[in-house]
Every structure is written in structure tokens, then in C-alpha cells.
Amino acid sequence: MPSRAPSKPKSTGETAKASAPSAAAVSPEELEALKQTLIKRLIDTGEWNRSSFIVLFQTLMIWVEKSLSAILKDRLHESGWMDDVSNQAKEYARQQDPLHFKTLIQELTPKAEATVPDDVKEEITALLRTWIDENTEM
């Protein structure tokens, strides 16, 4: 499967039509590790100041929300994962009486996350790492 080269965030007029994954998909520990890596790289290159870090981190979050989520949605759809999860949700919903959306989400989220294809995870991780490398070397 060919990789798409990551691009810098686009203007707000070019927002991806898909809804972005929630920020909860990334653990606080992972965000903190990313933050520390970015700070270290900026300090090592002599470019550190609080405002440059904030701008860089905000840019990263915008890119993840818009570009990366669109790529992720495409890959999950191509792999059949979205159909599988949708079918599981429908089946689970039919079995609930009464239907509780919160319970449905709590039950299906861990199962859905566990079944994301490894090649999709690897591609998204590679795109994210490439973007970080390209945008943190001063």
C-alpha cells in the first residue's frame, strides 16, 4: 500500500469531511512523551522558547486532526474495518433492551481499537513520525 507523504496543515477551508478521532485516543503519557521530545529537540538546536514550542505543538495537533484523520478513515474503510465495527455495533444494539448508547460505546470501543489492522497502525505511525522529524529539525 503506497504511503502518502505528510503535509503541513491546510487552511481551515480545507477541513477534512470526516470527524476527527477524539483526543482521548492518545493517552496523556503519549502526549507528554511527545511534548518532552519536541522540547528536547528545540533545546538541542538552540531554538527553544515557550512560544515556538506552543506553535509547533498546535500545528501538530491541527495536522493530526485534519490530514491524518482523513488518511486513517480512508485506510480503515479500505481494510473493511469500518464495516466490521458497524456490523458489530448493530448486532450489539439489537441485543440490548433497552438500548443505552453509553453502554454500547463502552463495550465496543476496546474491541474496535484492538482490531485496527497492524498495517494501518504502522502507516499512521510512520506518517506521524515523518511529520515530527520534518518539522522539528531546525
Side-chain angles (χ1 to χ4, degrees):
M1 188 177 297
S3 295
R4 291 186 192 174
S7 61
K8 293 186 180 176
K10 308 224 183 296
S11 69
T12 55
E14 297 177 88
T15 307
K17 291 181 182 173
S19 62
S22 70
V26 178
S27 73
E29 294 82 16
E30 290 171 316
L31 282 176
E32 184 60 29
L34 175 60
K35 177 180 156 185
Q36 294 306 319
T37 300
L38 291 172
I39 290 171
K40 182 180 182 322
R41 185 141 331 163
L42 289 169
I43 290 170
D44 290 349
T45 61
E47 297 292 327
W48 166 255
N49 69 50
R50 184 163 174 75
S51 60
S52 67
F53 169 74
I54 291 170
V55 169
L56 181 63
F57 197 70
Q58 287 173 341
T59 303
L60 171 64
M61 300 313 330
I62 291 168
W63 179 74
V64 166
E65 182 179 334
K66 294 180 181 175
S67 302
L68 201 57
S69 66
I71 294 168
L72 177 60
K73 180 183 176 194
D74 289 345
R75 296 303 180 270
L76 291 174
H77 183 68
E78 291 167 3
S79 72
W81 180 90
M82 290 183 127
D83 291 334
D84 292 344
V85 171
S86 177
N87 291 335
Q88 288 176 6
K90 289 175 187 174
E91 184 60 34
Y92 190 82
R94 284 186 195 108
Q95 295 172 4
Q96 278 191 337
D97 188 28
L99 178 61
H100 294 286
F101 183 74
K102 186 175 180 178
T103 304
L104 178 73
I105 295 300
Q106 288 173 337
E107 289 291 322
L108 292 178
T109 298
K111 294 173 185 174
E113 289 173 351
T115 61
V116 173
D118 288 338
D119 61 325
V120 174
K121 291 178 190 176
E122 292 166 6
E123 179 181 2
I124 296 301
T125 300
L127 290 170
L128 185 55
R129 285 187 179 144
T130 299
W131 188 92
I132 290 169
D133 289 344
E134 288 175 355
N135 289 279
T136 56
E137 294 185 2
M138 306 291 171

